[in-house]
Amino acid sequence: MEENKIKENKIKVALLGLGTVGTGVYKLIHRRGDVMERTIGAELEIFRILVHSLKKERPGIDASLLTDNWQEILADDEIQIVIEVMGGIEPARTMILDALHAGKHVVTANKDLVAEYGKELLDAAEAGKCDFLFEAAVAGGIPIIRPLKQCLAGNEISEVIGIVNGTTNYILTKMFEDNMSFEEALAKATELGYAEADPTADVEGLDAGRKVAIMASIAFHSRVVFKDVYTEGITKITSKDIAYAKEFDSVIKLLGVAHNTENGIEVGVYPMLLNKDHPLASVRDSFNAVFVHGDAVDDAMFYGRGAGELPTASAVMGDIIDVARDIQYHCNGRISCTCYKELPIKDFDDVKNKFFLRMQVKNQPGVLACIAKVFGDHKVSIARVVQKHAKENEAELVIVTDKVKEYHLKDALGELRGIDSILDISSLIREY
Amino acid sequence: MEENKIKENKIKVALLGLGTVGTGVYKLIHRRGDVMERTIGAELEIFRILVHSLKKERPGIDASLLTDNWQEILADDEIQIVIEVMGGIEPARTMILDALHAGKHVVTANKDLVAEYGKELLDAAEAGKCDFLFEAAVAGGIPIIRPLKQCLAGNEISEVIGIVNGTTNYILTKMFEDNMSFEEALAKATELGYAEADPTADVEGLDAGRKVAIMASIAFHSRVVFKDVYTEGITKITSKDIAYAKEFDSVIKLLGVAHNTENGIEVGVYPMLLNKDHPLASVRDSFNAVFVHGDAVDDAMFYGRGAGELPTASAVMGDIIDVARDIQYHCNGRISCTCYKELPIKDFDDVKNKFFLRMQVKNQPGVLACIAKVFGDHKVSIARVVQKHAKENEAELVIVTDKVKEYHLKDALGELRGIDSILDISSLIREY
C-alpha cells in the first residue's frame, strides 16, 4: 500500500430487508466481529436496516437500527456498503442502481434481479467504480461465482451443469429413495418448509433457470438472461420413471444445463436421467451442486447448501468481507463484469439430446417397425428398445434415442401421436 | 481507480521450472492470450524460463526464453511475477524469498514448501507488499484456498476432510470396484503414471499430510505444519478389509482429517471407513475432493482433479490472473496470511476415533469375554461385534468401537496382543 492510502477502522453497512437471509446476515455479522477486525483491520457495523414495517416485532434485533426510509440510507455518506436481501425486481433494482450511482458498494442475494438486469447493474457498478457482488444469488452458500471468475479464469469452460434448486432435489430424492409419488414428496417438502405455498417457481424449473442464466454468463463470458433459458419442470415425473431410472443404474435430477458450443450457447433446465457414477448423481436431499468442465481443469464440482438462512448469509458475508478488503486497499471494482463476448444463444429446438421415452402401444405385429420408420424419417436414431409388461392387447415400450435435435424428436412424436396403434406416450425425459 | 494510477499494458512473468506443471502453465498462458487482455487489460508475457539444463530438447518451447541463471531473472526489474513450479524445498525456498524481497509477486504449486515454510514465505510477501499465492499446492485444479480465504471467510470452520491424493484414491477405487489387491492396484497406478517409481510419499500419506497442513492452517486461521500431522498410509489395507467395508455399506478412503476442537487442532491422514452416503464416498479413481463444515455454510464440498499438467496449471493460472488484477489495481498484498490465531495442536494420542478391528482368535469359550474386559479396562466401549468364518480352532472377530481416545485403544491392543487366545489383530481402521 502506498503511504497516502488510509485504512478505515470502521466500515458501516446498511441491510435492505430482514427476512430469512437478512436475519442470517445480521446474526453472522455479529458473530464474526473479531474475524473482521483481524482479517480486514476494521470493524463492520450494521448502521441501518431498511424494513417494510417498523411496527413488526423483531426479537433479537436492535430496533434503533430500523428504518423504512430508503432515502435516509441513500443520503448517508457514512454508509459504504448496501446489502440487498429483499428479493424481487422492484424496488430492489432501483435501490441498487441508486446506491451504485451514489458510490456505495452493493452485495445482493437477488437471483431474479441479477438474471434479468445483471448487465445494467454491473455497468452501473463499473461507472461508479463500485463493487457489485452476488455470490449468494446462485446456489446459496456454495462458492461458485468467485471460483468461476478467479480460480478457473484460466479455463475455457464448455459445460456448467447444476442441481441448483433444493426443493426439487429433495422431492426427487424422496421419490427415488422412499418410493414417494411426486405429490407425496411435494407435500413433505411443504411440511418441512422447503417448498413455498405456491411451488411453481421451484417445480417448474424457473428458479433453477435464473441461476443457470447467471452461471452461464460468467462461465462463458457472454450475457445469458432468464428468457434465454428453456425450462421444464418435474411435475410429470412418475414413480414408474424412477423405477426405470433405477433399472438403468441412473437417477433422475432436475438439472440446469449450459453448454458453450461452436454454434452458440445452449441453455436449459429440465429433468434428466443421469448415470449413478456421475458426481451429481450422489447429491441428495436439498443439497445443491454445480458441475463444471473446463479445458484445463477438466471436471470440477462444487457442492453444498443452496438455500437457508445461514448458508445464504455465509455467501453474502464472504462478499461483504471482499468489499471491505477492497475498501481497505482502495481497489473496489477490481473484478467487475467479465462478459466480454457476445455469443449467440442457440434456439432450443436445435439443441441435441438423448431421450428416454416410455409409450403404451397395441400389442400387435408391426408396431415397432412403424415406430422405427417414423423415427428414421425424422433422423432420430434409436439406441435401445425394451418391451415391458406386455398384456394381451397392450405393451409398454421403452426407447432410448441417440443424440438428436429437439425439433426432430418433437416432429417424430407429433407423427407418432397420430398413429392408431400408439396409445400413449407417457414419458419423455432427456438422458445425460 | 484514482487518476494517478496507471495500468500496465504488458505484465512480464518468469517461469521457474519446465516439468509437467511448468509445461502446462506455458501452454495455458499462450492459449489464454485473448482472455488476459480482455479481463485484466494487459498482455501476459513469459519473459524468462529457468531450467536446469539448457541442452535438453524442449519441443514447442521458445528456446530464446530459457536460462539457467536465476540471478539474471532476479535482477530484471521488468519481471513482475515469478511462477515457481520446480517443487522441492531448495532452491525453491531461497529463490521465492529472494523474489519477494525484490518486490516480485510469486505464484507457486509447491506443497512441500508451503506446508513447511508457509509462514516465512507469507511474512516475506507481507514485508515486500507482494502477492504470494499457492492455490495449486492443495488439490491441484480444485479451487479450495480462495474459497476458504474469501467465499467462506464468514464461517467458523470446524472440519476439513479431504481426499487429496489421487494415486491412493485410484488404488483404493481399483481395490473396491475391481477386487484388485493393493499390490495389483499399485502396479496399475504405476503403469498409468499415477504413481511414481518410489510411491512412498503417496501410499504412506505424506503427500496428503502436506496438503492437509496447508488447508487446516487456512481453515482454522492458525498455523499447522507438516510435522504436526499424524500420517498413516494404505499399504496395510487388504481385500478382506474392502469386503467388510462393502458389507457395512461403506468405502475405504485415505482421508486428510482436520478438526478444530475446544482443546486444539486435530490433524492427521489415515484410511477410514466412510458410509457410502457421505459425499466423499462417491469420489472415485484419481479424483480429489475436500469436504468442509462451517457454522454458517453447513456442509460444502469441492471436487476435481488433484494433479496433472493442465489441472494444476489451471490453478496456477487463476493465481497469475489474480496477481495481474492486483497489479492493475495497485492492491497487491490484498489477501495475505490469515493465521491470526495460535491454537494448540492436539497430541494425536488424545484424538478420539471410532475403530474397526479384525482379529483372529481361538474358537473357544471365554475369548470374547476376555477381549471385552480388556477393552472395558481401557475405557474402550464396543459398538458392534460380529463373529465370522469360525473354523474348528479359529474364529474371526470383527469389532467396531465407539469413539475412543487413540491411546486408550493402543493400550488395549497392547494388552490383547499378549493374550494367548488372540492369534492376530489383522486390521485396525478408523471409521468416520
Side-chain angles (χ1 to χ4, degrees), chain B residues 292-349:
Chain B
V292 171
H293 184 87
D295 64 342
V297 77
D298 192 52
D299 292 341
M301 190 176 78
F302 304 86
Y303 166 98
R305 293 262 172 224
E309 178 187 291
L310 286 174
T312 310
S314 163
V316 171
M317 192 69 183
D319 280 351
I320 296 172
I321 292 173
D322 244 16
V323 174
R325 281 173 168 145
D326 285 349
I327 290 173
Q328 296 299 59
Y329 281 82
H330 300 255
C331 61
N332 296 97
R334 179 178 165 279
I335 299 177
S336 54
C337 185
T338 46
C339 288
Y340 52 78
K341 296 182 188 174
E342 283 190 30
L343 302 172
I345 308 287
K346 203 188 270 188
D347 188 327
F348 195 70
D349 276 344

Side-chain angles (χ1 to χ4, degrees), chain B residues 377-428:
Chain B
D377 290 347
H378 290 281
K379 301 185 180 176
V380 176
S381 64
I382 294 173
R384 278 183 292 181
V385 182
V386 188
Q387 180 174 306
K388 293 269 178 183
H389 315 296
K391 278 181 272 176
E392 203 170 325
N393 304 317
E394 202 179 314
E396 182 169 71
L397 283 184
V398 169
I399 297 176
V400 180
T401 74
D402 284 331
K403 275 203 165 188
V404 297
K405 285 194 176 178
E406 291 273 342
Y407 80 90
H408 282 142
L409 190 89
K410 219 192 274 178
D411 292 349
L413 292 183
E415 198 173 323
L416 287 174
R417 284 199 177 94
I419 294 172
D420 255 9
S421 52
I422 296 178
L423 305 170
D424 190 25
I425 300 171
S426 42
S427 296
L428 177 65

Side-chain angles (χ1 to χ4, degrees), chain A residues 150 295 298 305 326 334, chain B residues 32 298 305 322 326 334:
Chain A
Q150 297 184 246
D295 65 341
D298 193 54
R305 293 262 172 223
D326 285 349
R334 180 178 164 278
Chain B
R32 286 298 107 75
D298 192 52
R305 293 262 172 224
D322 244 16
D326 285 349
R334 179 178 165 279

Side-chain angles (χ1 to χ4, degrees), chain B residues 99-336:
Chain B
L100 292 170
H101 291 144
K104 295 186 195 304
H105 312 293
V106 175
V107 172
T108 181
N110 193 327
K111 59 185 168 298
D112 301 38
L113 190 57
V114 178
E116 201 160 340
Y117 295 97
K119 183 172 165 34
E120 181 185 28
L121 300 169
L122 282 160
D123 284 350
E126 212 163 334
K129 289 165 186 168
C130 289
D131 283 332
F132 175 67
L133 300 182
F134 48 91
E135 182 68 75
V138 179
I142 305 174
I144 181 65
I145 293 177
R146 209 170 267 97
L148 284 174
K149 284 199 172 192
Q150 298 183 249
C151 310
L152 302 179
N155 283 264
E156 175 94 18
I157 308 265
S158 54
E159 184 179 46
V160 178
I161 311 178
I163 295 173
V164 286
N165 180 273
T167 311
T168 46
N169 203 44
Y170 177 82
I171 291 171
L172 291 170
T173 303
K174 286 290 148 192
M175 290 176 74
F176 193 88
E177 294 184 3
D178 300 341
N179 299 314
M180 287 188 189
S181 68
F182 171 77
E183 290 74 19
E184 287 168 333
L186 174 60
K188 184 88 187 155
T190 310
E191 187 190 317
L192 292 172
Y194 291 158
E196 295 181 50
D198 176 2
T200 311
D202 290 327
V203 299
E204 295 297 354
L206 312 180
D207 173 79
R210 296 191 177 98
K211 293 166 183 168
V212 77
I214 299 172
M215 290 194 294
S217 300
I218 296 169
F220 306 150
H221 302 292
S222 183
R223 182 67 49 194
V224 176
V225 294
F226 176 52
K227 70 171 176 49
D228 296 328
V229 184
Y230 170 84
T231 54
E232 192 181 303
I234 62 163
T235 54
K236 288 178 197 154
I237 304 292
T238 65
S239 303
K240 215 162 188 179
D241 298 326
I242 300 278
Y244 276 113
K246 287 181 186 171
E247 203 179 312
F248 291 179
D249 274 337
S250 296
V251 296
I252 297 178
K253 295 288 182 189
L254 181 68
L255 300 179
V257 178
H259 286 107
N260 189 7
T261 76
E262 280 184 15
N263 314 310
I265 293 173
E266 302 175 355
V267 59
V269 171
Y270 33 83
M272 285 195 108
L273 279 155
L274 189 71
N275 187 280
K276 70 175 176 43
D277 281 342
H278 193 282
L280 285 172
S282 54
V283 176
R284 302 167 57 247
D285 286 334
S286 63
F287 276 93
N288 284 17
V290 179
F291 178 90
V292 171
H293 184 87
D295 64 342
V297 77
D298 192 52
D299 292 341
M301 190 176 78
F302 304 86
Y303 166 98
R305 293 262 172 224
E309 178 187 291
L310 286 174
T312 310
S314 163
V316 171
M317 192 69 183
D319 280 351
I320 296 172
I321 292 173
D322 244 16
V323 174
R325 281 173 168 145
D326 285 349
I327 290 173
Q328 296 299 59
Y329 281 82
H330 300 255
C331 61
N332 296 97
R334 179 178 165 279
I335 299 177
S336 54

Side-chain angles (χ1 to χ4, degrees), chain B residues 12-174:
Chain B
K12 292 180 182 174
V13 306
L15 204 52
L16 313 190
L18 199 58
T20 306
V21 180
T23 307
V25 174
Y26 183 92
K27 284 181 193 168
L28 216 47
I29 287 179
H30 285 96
R31 215 189 267 181
R32 286 298 107 75
D34 63 323
V35 180
M36 294 303 298
E37 294 208 43
R38 291 160 101 170
T39 55
I40 63 164
E43 187 190 330
L44 195 68
E45 184 187 345
I46 301 178
F47 197 64
R48 280 286 175 274
I49 305 172
L50 184 73
V51 292
H52 196 71
S53 160
L54 290 172
K55 287 175 190 155
K56 193 171 160 186
E57 286 282 332
R58 302 176 194 273
I61 304 290
D62 178 353
S64 71
L65 304 178
L66 302 177
T67 174
D68 57 2
N69 183 350
W70 162 241
Q71 294 303 327
E72 183 195 325
I73 292 174
L74 186 62
D76 193 329
D77 286 339
E78 284 192 78
I79 295 170
Q80 292 187 278
I81 311 176
V82 166
I83 305 154
E84 187 278 302
V85 281
M86 304 181 297
I89 301 294
E90 286 295 355
R93 172 172 160 260
T94 302
M95 287 179 183
I96 291 177
L97 287 171
D98 285 351
L100 292 170
H101 291 144
K104 295 186 195 304
H105 312 293
V106 175
V107 172
T108 181
N110 193 327
K111 59 185 168 298
D112 301 38
L113 190 57
V114 178
E116 201 160 340
Y117 295 97
K119 183 172 165 34
E120 181 185 28
L121 300 169
L122 282 160
D123 284 350
E126 212 163 334
K129 289 165 186 168
C130 289
D131 283 332
F132 175 67
L133 300 182
F134 48 91
E135 182 68 75
V138 179
I142 305 174
I144 181 65
I145 293 177
R146 209 170 267 97
L148 284 174
K149 284 199 172 192
Q150 298 183 249
C151 310
L152 302 179
N155 283 264
E156 175 94 18
I157 308 265
S158 54
E159 184 179 46
V160 178
I161 311 178
I163 295 173
V164 286
N165 180 273
T167 311
T168 46
N169 203 44
Y170 177 82
I171 291 171
L172 291 170
T173 303
K174 286 290 148 192

